[in-house]
Amino acid sequence: MQNNDWKNDELYVSLVEDLLATDMVKNLANYTQHHHSTRLEHSISVSYDSYKIARRAGLDYRAVARAGLLHDLFFYDWRTTKFDLGSHAFIHPRVALRNAEKITDLSPIEKDIILKHMWGLTLARPKYKESVIVSLVDDLEAVREFSSPLKEKLSTKLSKVF
Ligand SMILES: [Fe+2]
Ligand SMILES: [Fe+2]
């Protein structure tokens, strides 16, 4: 289940609402990301959690919010395409950047965030702290989204026992 806290954060909404209104971003809702979430839910989670960290750290939270939302702006199912994982990790940030440029102007930091978010699996090192934040939050969200039904199962079991 998606956490909807972001909807009550007026500053955050003001930073991304033009992007959320585009057909391209809306279309992310039609793709499954990590088994239990859509690519849109995943993108908002990465964007919002990264924005909160960047804001606390005094970094460019606008760039983090916007590029975080656009970091996976691609439209194929990465589990069924012919790419191997390495190729997908290399290719999809470039596809996302090209798509993002069709709907908004991107600052150098925003471009770096999108292109380097697979850092770790790909060699390209982030140039900015903002890019490191989005890359780390992306990894954390993948783990969280993948395991959330497991957590629910566990808490249901616990509530039956105690
Ligand atoms: Fe990605
Ligand atoms: Fe992602």
Side-chain angles (χ1 to χ4, degrees):
M1 185 64 117
Q2 162 119 53
N3 180 338
N4 281 322
D5 286 355
W6 65 273
K7 289 185 180 170
N8 301 318
D9 187 329
E10 282 178 32
L11 175 58
Y12 174 74
V13 171
S14 75
L15 296 173
V16 296
E17 59 190 345
D18 62 312
L19 300 176
L20 289 172
T22 62
D23 289 340
M24 218 189 263
V25 172
K26 283 182 191 166
N27 193 16
L28 291 173
N30 298 317
Y31 293 82
T32 302
Q33 187 76 358
H34 297 296
H35 299 269
H36 309 293
S37 65
T38 71
R39 193 166 297 155
L40 180 59
E41 289 169 337
H42 164 75
S43 299
I44 292 172
S45 295
V46 169
S47 164
Y48 189 49
D49 290 349
S50 302
Y51 148 90
K52 284 188 287 187
I53 294 169
R55 225 180 128 184
R56 256 182 268 133
L59 296 170
D60 186 345
Y61 56 84
R62 180 182 188 273
V64 166
R66 291 178 70 82
L69 185 61
L70 304 174
H71 81 283
D72 277 334
L73 198 64
F74 63 95
F75 302 97
Y76 59 85
D77 186 334
W78 61 273
R79 294 166 306 166
T80 57
T81 51
K82 56 186 182 333
F83 303 140
D84 58 44
L85 187 62
S87 306
H88 170 66
F90 181 80
I91 290 167
H92 84 270
R94 285 159 179 78
V95 175
L97 178 66
R98 209 171 54 216
N99 284 335
E101 284 176 326
K102 290 179 192 161
I103 57 172
T104 187
D105 290 332
L106 297 168
S107 69
I109 294 183
E110 288 167 336
K111 285 183 192 172
D112 195 66
I113 289 171
I114 295 171
L115 267 181
K116 313 282 179 65
H117 82 266
M118 294 303 288
W119 172 57
L121 274 184
T122 56
L123 292 174
R125 274 185 168 278
K127 238 189 254 173
Y128 306 98
K129 285 181 183 160
E130 285 83 351
S131 311
V132 174
I133 290 172
V134 173
S135 177
L136 287 173
V137 170
D138 187 38
D139 293 343
L140 289 172
E141 296 291 340
V143 172
R144 195 179 61 80
E145 287 159 16
F146 187 79
S147 62
S148 73
L150 194 63
K151 274 188 225 148
E152 273 168 38
K153 196 174 160 202
L154 200 60
S155 67
T156 309
K157 275 189 181 174
L158 284 172
S159 69
K160 281 180 181 161
V161 175
F162 297 104

